[in-house]
Amino acid sequence: MFGYYVKLAFKSIKKNPLLSSLMVFAIALGIGASMTTITVNYLMSANPIPEKSEQLFYVQVDSWDPHNAFNDETGAPPNQLTWTDASNLFNAQKATKQVVMAKSGGIVVPDNQDVNPFETQIRLTTGEFFNMFNTPFLYGAGWDLSVDQNNEQVVVLTRTLNEKVFGGENSVGRNILIAGQHFQVVGVLDTWQPVPKFYDVNNGAFDEVEDVFMPFFLKESFELPSWGNTNCWKSPEGEGFKAFLQSECINYQMWVQLNNPIEKADYFSFLNNYVADQKAFGRFPRPMNNQLSDVMEWMEREEVVEDDAKMMMWMSFMFLMVCLLNTIGLLLAKFIGKSSEIGLRRAIGASKGDVFTQHIIEAACVGLLGGLVGLLLAFVGLQGIKSLYGDFVNNLIQLDFAMASLGILIALVTSILAGLYPTWRACNISPANQLKSQ
Amino acid sequence: MLELGPIFRALLRNKVGALLIAVQIAFTMAIIVNSVFIIYERSQETKRPSGLDEANSFFISSSGFGENFGAKATIEKDLTDIRAISGVVSAIQINAIPVSGGGWSMSLQTEPGAEHDGVGTAVYMVNENGLDALGLELLAGENFVASDIRWRQNSESTWPDKVIVTKAMAERLFPDIDYGQSVGKTVYINDNEPMIIVGIIDKLQAPWVGWNNVENSMLSPEHQETDSVRYFIRTAPGQRDSTMKQVEELLAKNKERVVDGMRSIEYVRERSYRGHTAMIKILTTVIITLTIVTSLGIVGLASFSVNRRKKQIGIRRALGARKIDVIKYFMLENLMISGVGVLLGAGLTIALNMLLVKALSITPMDWFYIPIGMIVLCLIGQLAVYGPAKKATGIAPAIATRTV
């Protein structure tokens, strides 16, 4: 029977091409708009590291100005650490794994004369970065704690940079000149782009990953510049790079891996003790306000999903609503227009249930068609978003299988819902009345 | 107007169909009116002038890396060379580009001491040619002179003793006096370090277009002695593009540096406001498609209702109703439905606006958007129904005689 009803549905759709295409078009527009905005929101709020997002915690301690909170509205502690705190907390090695980091940059001068020198972004970090964040390696590996402690000059490159400088070959063991210093390549990452770029959302949560990973504490030896956001509530005391590092300016991030609530509680009390000790040196003038946020909590706190994206999603749901109301109206018109046909079917033995099934299937077919066209529209819509917003959204416009299925599902469910009332009306057409007028 | 009663009673017999259109009109109105409001707000923001001579300005970055790269000598030579190019009006070194999104902010206060609150401001480090290169108008006081300009070392933490601020900044610092009178006053940077205001400029925006204090800027008389520098260049009208090429070639002659990031200010503005421009385009598309969907829905349902009432229309015509009466019937019917729709719509519009205000801190809508939206939506309904109504007049009175 199902196949027969589907056949009937398509026959009925073809019989009234204008009205049918109007319905399909309306559903398609609604689905297209919603899927476009849902995709952007879905990717913005995606979990970038689902396998361990609950074990990774961002560390915040309140080292800010005694007169003003870092964030007046929420009272949240500063979103980054000072050099002093990053170094102390790292050196304490109290968590299962920990990483401190910052953004920097410098000039790369390739040995190959054919490649011009160029400027690159550098992620200053410590060895456990790669292990904690599950980065894929193409060649070699990261570095261990002794490298960080002895300030060894090693780097990990991204695949892109390796291709640019070494033509894509295995460059492990080779030398590279960055920021005027010689480094030995120990590893090359395979393509890796967490969305959002959760480990540091300060300069654009959807930015590209930096091209060079370099041991964190080399910042001090080579006086590497601070490229991320730097915030100070008081000026450095004294002149020069050392004074800047020792100041209360924040520019550094720290993540720790804590595998269970006990470890988390232990680490939290370690943080509180640390701050209490620092207070004895006259630092941390504000009340104790430390925070450990796991990956998703941190994304929430940093408001990674753009307001504009949320707004567009709500608007597109209302848009879908209008399209559905439209479809209800048109289906109603259509089914009532078929009154005599329904009357005839009822008279020759179709039960109310049969008529109901037949028409719900017709509504679902319209929905399915609308959903398919809607997916095409969503694809066009996402290309449109790309052309409007530029590179910034490159990582946010992938329409994956889950999203496509969701689109079809929404189209089916909503069109069946939209079909309920018209179908109910169709079932209640009394056969006698209709046959009389034939 | 006598028809109103019968039309209304006829409508009540098909409540659901009418209600569907009314609700659809209500939602359409809520979305359209809020979109128009947001479009207006955003386009006002994108039109704010930066204070620069935008059409004729550009900037370029240079990062030295060689062992013998002398920052100070290079900067001095670069500036002299760039200024010698014909078509260049003025060229300076600067630490940040207005409207570009990246820069340096400090806070100025009128009383020394950490316990006093300051006013946030963008910092631009320029020399005595700053006003000329940026195209700024000096409203009061005077410009920097060559002897004011110092060389700022990396990680320097002190500030020069002179400063030029925008009119908006002066008015924020000294709200009780005319901005011109703030010339000569002392303000404090870093809580305690005094700077004397020597001049007031009309307008210069901060690098961050979304910042509440975007009109607050200060000029600090200094060059920065760093290997990575940015030059801001203003050209004679119409000569920007040719000059850009020449400047890039000139700087690239020095092989001990990377020359990069040459952009016109027009490009920077476009990029900084890209989110706004995109939003405006998206919402415009939404408005247009939504209007089409809703009108087509009205056309569809009206045609359907005309078809159903063929006999009724025929009888009315046979009894003496003119074509205009038939049109009037459908138009009035639609107006009643739209009327209910826009009343519902007014409520929904306000609700959506309140939601957006609360959740996304958008400014509340001006009241007059609502009545205008109501009228426009009614007009759209009338236009949409006109076609089917016109078609209804083609029904011959004779149809009344065909069946009983």
Side-chain angles (χ1 to χ4, degrees):
Chain A
M1 265 336 238
F2 181 76
Y4 176 60
Y5 285 147
V6 172
K7 218 166 103 186
L8 272 186
F10 277 97
K11 214 168 163 184
S12 155
I13 289 172
K14 269 191 236 155
K15 204 168 119 191
N16 237 326
L18 200 70
L19 205 59
S20 305
S21 48
L22 203 59
M23 281 188 279
V24 171
F25 171 69
I27 293 183
L29 275 179
I31 293 292
S34 307
M35 288 318 295
T36 308
T37 57
I38 291 175
T39 304
V40 172
N41 277 272
Y42 162 76
L43 291 170
M44 275 187 169
S45 54
N47 186 340
I49 180 160
E51 64 277 17
K52 61 199 295 192
S53 68
E54 283 164 11
Q55 278 102 50
L56 299 175
F57 294 89
Y58 190 80
V59 178
Q60 286 171 281
V61 293
D62 200 341
S63 59
W64 211 243
D65 185 350
H67 302 289
N68 294 298
F70 178 75
N71 186 331
D72 285 335
E73 277 169 39
T74 62
N79 60 353
Q80 298 187 98
L81 300 178
T82 63
W83 174 266
T84 314
D85 297 323
S87 313
N88 290 345
L89 293 174
F90 178 78
N91 289 330
Q93 292 283 318
K94 286 289 182 195
T96 316
K97 288 175 184 165
Q98 49 252 299
V99 60
V100 286
M101 52 190 169
K103 188 174 181 170
S104 186
I107 305 281
V108 178
V109 185
D111 277 346
N112 183 346
Q113 298 292 324
D114 297 339
V115 186
N116 284 327
F118 59 92
E119 194 164 46
T120 190
Q121 302 192 347
I122 299 173
R123 168 86 2 204
L124 292 167
T125 187
T126 51
E128 271 163 334
F129 181 93
F130 310 100
N131 189 307
M132 272 172 80
F133 300 141
N134 291 347
T135 62
F137 272 93
L138 191 63
Y139 305 118
W143 61 81
D144 58 28
L145 189 60
S146 66
V147 168
D148 289 314
Q149 283 164 344
N150 301 324
N151 281 344
E152 285 174 41
Q153 289 171 234
V154 300
V155 285
V156 167
L157 308 178
T158 57
R159 189 177 182 146
T160 329
L161 195 103
N162 188 52
E163 258 153 38
K164 193 164 176 181
V165 176
F166 296 106
E169 40 185 280
N170 185 348
S171 59
V172 171
R174 304 264 300 262
N175 265 299
I176 183 170
L177 187 64
I178 304 173
Q181 306 293 332
H182 290 278
F183 290 87
Q184 191 189 15
V185 179
V186 292
V188 176
L189 290 189
D190 204 345
T191 313
W192 182 60
Q193 178 62 57
V195 179
K197 190 187 135 192
F198 66 99
Y199 62 81
D200 180 10
V201 292
N202 277 302
N203 306 87
F206 304 98
D207 271 15
E208 302 288 316
V209 164
E210 295 82 358
D211 272 326
V212 173
F213 296 84
M214 191 183 276
F216 181 77
F217 293 99
L218 292 179
K219 182 180 172 86
E220 185 170 12
S221 344
F222 298 148
E223 305 202 349
L224 296 170
S226 306
W227 274 25
N229 281 351
T230 308
N231 260 311
C232 311
W233 60 272
K234 88 179 181 196
S235 290
E237 285 160 12
E239 300 291 316
F241 197 80
K242 281 251 153 43
F244 169 72
L245 284 187
Q246 277 150 16
S247 72
E248 292 293 339
C249 295
I250 54 168
N251 180 234
Y252 311 94
Q253 305 97 39
M254 178 173 198
W255 287 89
V256 291
Q257 180 172 337
L258 306 165
N259 293 326
N260 53 50
I262 300 167
E263 286 185 17
K264 187 185 170 193
D266 285 351
Y267 197 79
F268 195 69
S269 58
F270 158 71
L271 277 183
N272 287 343
N273 288 336
Y274 169 75
V275 171
D277 285 351
Q278 292 290 311
K279 279 178 186 286
F281 297 118
R283 293 187 64 228
F284 288 89
R286 296 187 63 76
M288 189 79 81
N289 182 16
N290 305 325
Q291 258 176 28
L292 288 173
S293 325
D294 72 22
V295 175
M296 293 317 278
E297 284 168 350
W298 184 238
M299 297 298 99
E300 184 84 13
R301 294 220 162 101
E302 289 291 281
E303 296 176 352
V304 160
V305 181
E306 303 259 328
D307 278 358
D308 274 9
K310 283 189 208 160
M311 180 163 85
M312 280 196 269
M313 188 167 73
W314 296 348
M315 292 266 222
S316 70
F317 287 157
M318 288 183 76
F319 191 112
L320 180 62
M321 182 81 195
V322 172
C323 295
L324 286 175
L325 287 168
N326 206 323
T327 311
I328 300 180
L330 295 173
L331 276 177
L332 192 62
K334 183 154 187 210
F335 290 173
I336 289 176
K338 274 168 58 178
S339 294
S340 52
E341 184 194 322
I342 296 167
L344 188 62
R345 278 181 60 81
R346 293 274 280 122
I348 56 176
S351 69
K352 275 191 182 185
D354 294 333
V355 174
F356 184 87
T357 319
Q358 181 199 342
H359 288 90
I360 275 295
I361 287 178
E362 183 170 340
C365 285
V366 170
L368 192 66
L369 283 178
L372 288 174
V373 180
L375 277 187
L376 274 180
L377 287 183
F379 186 74
V380 174
L382 288 171
Q383 295 306 312
I385 297 251
K386 185 180 173 179
S387 76
L388 287 176
Y389 285 93
D391 296 338
F392 152 73
V393 295
N394 263 351
N395 298 317
L396 293 175
I397 53 160
Q398 320 293 335
L399 196 58
D400 62 17
F401 181 73
M403 279 287 111
S405 323
L406 180 70
I408 299 285
L409 190 72
I410 294 181
L412 271 178
V413 170
T414 50
S415 60
I416 289 175
L417 283 179
L420 279 180
Y421 177 74
T423 307
W424 180 75
R425 286 283 297 267
C427 296
N428 285 315
I429 286 167
S430 78
N433 272 346
Q434 296 304 324
L435 292 175
K436 249 198 303 191
S437 60
Q438 291 288 311
Chain B
M1 285 298 122
L2 282 173
E3 304 99 293
L4 283 183
I7 295 175
F8 185 67
R9 283 192 292 277
L11 257 183
L12 286 183
R13 297 186 59 114
N14 182 19
K15 279 185 289 254
V16 177
L19 201 63
L20 278 174
I21 299 190
V23 176
Q24 198 178 330
I25 288 177
F27 272 97
T28 306
M29 174 174 161
I31 300 178
I32 288 186
V33 173
N34 274 288
S35 301
V36 168
F37 172 69
I38 293 166
I39 289 176
Y40 176 76
E41 290 266 292
R42 297 277 169 110
S43 68
Q44 286 306 99
E45 252 184 63
T46 57
K47 280 186 201 134
R48 294 175 309 190
S50 63
L52 304 173
D53 179 7
E54 291 187 19
N56 302 310
S57 301
F58 67 97
F59 66 95
I60 187 164
S61 308
S62 142
S63 304
F65 58 82
E67 300 269 311
N68 314 313
F69 188 83
K72 192 170 167 181
T74 312
I75 293 166
E76 278 172 344
K77 179 170 185 305
D78 283 346
L79 286 178
T80 317
D81 291 350
I82 295 174
R83 295 170 132 259
I85 295 174
S86 78
V88 171
V89 171
S90 190
I92 53 166
Q93 183 200 6
I94 196 164
N95 63 317
I97 306 297
V99 202
S100 69
W104 192 331
S105 84
M106 288 299 292
S107 157
L108 297 180
Q109 56 198 66
T110 52
E111 305 265 351
E115 66 277 18
H116 295 287
D117 280 340
V119 180
T121 173
V123 180
Y124 296 110
M125 297 169 187
V126 299
N127 65 10
E128 71 278 12
N129 298 317
L131 296 196
D132 201 18
L134 297 169
L136 307 176
E137 188 193 343
L138 189 68
L139 292 181
E142 52 197 29
N143 189 5
F144 301 131
V145 291
S147 58
D148 293 334
I149 315 298
R150 69 167 191 179
W151 284 88
R152 184 187 192 95
Q153 306 298 317
N154 240 343
S155 309
E156 164 80 56
S157 61
T158 66
W159 290 83
D161 47 15
K162 289 185 178 178
V163 64
I164 293 177
V165 297
T166 57
K167 182 176 158 207
M169 184 66 192
E171 284 169 347
R172 279 288 299 278
L173 284 166
F174 302 101
D176 303 328
I177 56 172
D178 184 64
Y179 67 86
Q181 289 173 298
S182 53
V183 174
K185 297 253 184 212
T186 303
V187 290
Y188 299 86
I189 194 163
N190 274 341
D191 296 339
N192 295 311
E193 205 179 321
M195 293 179 102
I196 296 166
I197 298 179
V198 295
I200 307 288
I201 47 176
D202 182 25
K203 190 172 189 60
L204 176 62
Q205 284 193 330
W208 314 280
V209 295
W211 193 34
N212 297 337
N213 297 328
V214 68
E215 305 295 343
N216 293 3
S217 298
M218 63 174 259
L219 302 181
S220 173
E222 47 195 337
H223 282 292
Q224 301 132 266
E225 196 172 340
T226 53
D227 289 350
S228 288
V229 296
R230 215 174 265 141
Y231 301 119
F232 186 101
I233 297 137
R234 182 178 173 203
T235 69
Q239 302 206 30
R240 185 192 68 198
D241 294 349
S242 58
T243 314
M244 279 173 89
K245 230 172 286 161
Q246 292 179 57
V247 169
E248 192 172 33
E249 280 164 15
L250 174 84
L251 295 186
K253 278 183 196 155
N254 182 341
K255 295 293 177 203
E256 293 205 309
R257 65 168 154 200
V258 175
V259 176
D260 198 12
M262 183 168 71
R263 302 279 186 215
S264 69
I265 299 302
E266 280 175 340
Y267 172 86
V268 168
R269 163 176 283 270
E270 190 274 321
R271 202 186 51 185
S272 287
Y273 285 110
R274 190 173 283 169
H276 282 12
T277 329
M279 196 66 169
I280 290 171
K281 285 186 184 154
I282 291 172
L283 290 180
T284 312
T285 319
V286 165
I287 292 176
I288 293 170
T289 32
L290 207 50
T291 312
I292 294 175
V293 168
T294 305
S295 335
L296 286 182
I298 294 173
V299 171
L301 287 181
S303 312
F304 169 72
S305 122
V306 167
N307 270 337
R308 275 223 310 177
R309 293 188 218 166
K310 259 190 185 154
K311 216 190 303 177
Q312 179 203 348
I313 296 164
I315 295 171
R316 281 198 68 200
R317 295 274 283 128
L319 291 178
R322 291 162 301 163
K323 290 191 170 185
I324 185 79
D325 293 325
V326 175
I327 294 187
K328 217 156 89 190
Y329 179 93
F330 285 103
M331 302 281 266
L332 276 176
E333 185 190 65
N334 175 271
L335 198 60
M336 281 182 196
I337 299 174
S338 306
V340 176
V342 294
L343 281 180
L344 279 175
L348 262 183
T349 307
I350 296 170
L352 179 61
N353 186 244
M354 277 164 54
L355 180 77
L356 293 177
V357 168
K358 192 158 176 271
L360 311 173
S361 49
I362 280 170
T363 37
M365 181 186 295
D366 296 312
W367 65 271
F368 55 80
Y369 278 85
I370 309 262
I372 295 177
M374 290 169 82
I375 293 169
V376 170
L377 263 289
C378 285
L379 281 178
I380 292 176
Q382 292 287 289
L383 280 177
V385 85
Y386 183 75
K390 188 91 209 275
K391 229 173 100 191
T393 61
I395 293 169
I399 208 170
T401 63
R402 278 192 204 145
T403 47
V404 184

